[in-house]
Amino acid sequence: FHLAGIRLAPKEKLEIPVLFMPAEMKIYKAVVVIRVMRENGENWPYEVTGESNTDLNRNVIVAENGETQGILWIYPINGTPEAPQQKSVVIRCQARQRLEQRVELLLIGVMPGAADLPDAGSSATVDTEELSSTPEVTDGSSATLEFLYELQYQSDESRYQLESLVGTELVEKEWDTESRIVTLIFNVVFAPSKPMRSEATLVIQCTAGGLWKFPLVFIATEPEVDDVINIEAVGLNKESIVGFKLTSQTR
């Protein structure tokens, strides 16, 4: 769009509306350029010289006499399409147990570049031995799609509760070039120490463009009973005492 002839008083604010409505899951880039000139058409007496600030030199319009005729503000805009939020994945484990669960997540509408596409109908997978400690994952071939993933928590309290109990690792990646669906297979580890219910979001971003969010619900059920304590009465109205030890697993 193009806006022209907007008159601004001194220290007045101008809001620039920016609408983003992506049609595909790919990176979109644009630039918003704002040009200001005096209403009476006169120049500013400021002259741009070789000793002037480099950024200022780049953003001013210089008249023939060397004075400043106009000023430019340039704002790059990067648009990242985000897929509709998916259904929650529930991960349930009994307290004081350890669960490893494979979770398959479908990324619909992935748009790799032409150089990244393998032959139609083929698939590419990730060798688990090639996974690095960084969240960037490739399959090592000429047909490469890279993904970044992060587990985001709803609050600091949720992070404190879950961070040491949950682990996620991308172990496999498959794609179907005809349907443009990428399947990411994660190994999720959940080792709760007590009954709880908490939520987090697995955010996945493709370097070719696109953002997907998958809600995860972590539920820890009641643990097994440790032991049964039997107390035999020594007589009516007389106390019977049984002692047992408890060991704390934390400080």
Side-chain angles (χ1 to χ4, degrees):
F1 59 89
H2 177 69
L3 300 176
I6 299 176
R7 184 179 183 274
L8 288 179
K11 297 188 180 297
E12 185 177 355
K13 293 182 179 180
L14 172 65
E15 293 186 359
I16 306 294
V18 177
L19 175 65
F20 180 46
M21 191 169 62
E24 296 179 331
M25 297 294 282
K26 64 181 183 181
I27 297 174
Y28 292 84
K29 294 186 177 183
V31 177
V32 174
V33 180
I34 303 170
R35 175 180 175 181
V36 62
M37 301 180 68
R38 280 186 167 179
E39 189 176 22
N40 58 12
E42 296 180 357
N43 298 332
W44 282 276
Y46 178 81
E47 293 186 6
V48 178
T49 65
E51 298 177 357
S52 301
N53 182 279
T54 303
D55 292 334
L56 182 62
N57 290 348
R58 187 167 55 243
N59 293 344
V60 298
I61 303 170
V62 182
E64 292 181 359
N65 61 0
E67 294 181 342
T68 299
Q69 187 180 31
I71 303 174
L72 293 176
W73 285 270
I74 302 175
Y75 295 92
I77 294 182
N78 296 327
T80 300
E82 182 175 329
Q85 186 158 305
Q86 308 298 309
K87 292 183 179 180
S88 298
V89 177
V90 178
I91 299 172
R92 188 186 304 269
C93 178
Q94 190 176 30
R96 299 209 303 266
Q97 300 295 323
R98 185 179 185 274
L99 172 72
E100 286 196 30
Q101 180 173 327
R102 289 170 65 89
V103 177
E104 293 189 6
L105 303 179
L106 300 183
L107 311 186
I108 299 175
V110 177
M111 289 290 295
D116 296 331
L117 286 173
D119 296 333
S122 66
S123 64
T125 60
V126 180
D127 186 346
T128 55
E129 293 181 357
E130 294 180 359
L131 291 175
S132 64
S133 59
T134 65
E136 183 175 297
V137 178
T138 67
D139 60 11
S141 67
S142 59
T144 298
L145 276 178
E146 296 179 353
F147 294 91
L148 308 174
Y149 65 92
E150 178 187 10
L151 194 61
Q152 295 182 351
Y153 304 92
Q154 289 186 323
S155 62
D156 291 339
E157 181 181 357
S158 178
R159 175 184 292 275
Y160 176 77
Q161 188 178 34
L162 275 181
E163 197 167 31
S164 62
L165 308 178
V166 174
T168 56
E169 181 184 17
L170 178 58
V171 294
E172 193 172 339
K173 174 186 66 177
E174 300 176 352
W175 61 23
D176 188 318
T177 56
E178 293 182 356
S179 64
R180 288 192 347 211
I181 295 178
V182 172
T183 302
L184 298 184
I185 301 176
F186 286 84
N187 184 46
V188 179
V189 177
F190 184 34
S193 58
K194 60 183 179 180
M196 56 172 286
R197 178 189 173 94
S198 192
E199 298 181 9
T201 302
L202 186 58
V203 180
I204 303 173
Q205 183 171 5
C206 179
T207 53
L211 191 70
W212 293 262
K213 293 183 178 181
F214 296 89
L216 303 180
V217 180
F218 295 92
I219 299 176
T221 58
E222 291 289 338
E224 294 181 358
V225 174
D226 292 281
D227 202 355
V228 176
I229 300 172
N230 295 315
I231 304 178
E232 294 184 5
V234 295
L236 292 177
N237 299 316
K238 294 183 178 180
E239 293 182 352
S240 294
I241 299 176
V242 172
F244 60 92
K245 294 180 180 181
L246 296 178
T247 302
S248 174
Q249 295 181 355
T250 65
R251 291 184 179 273

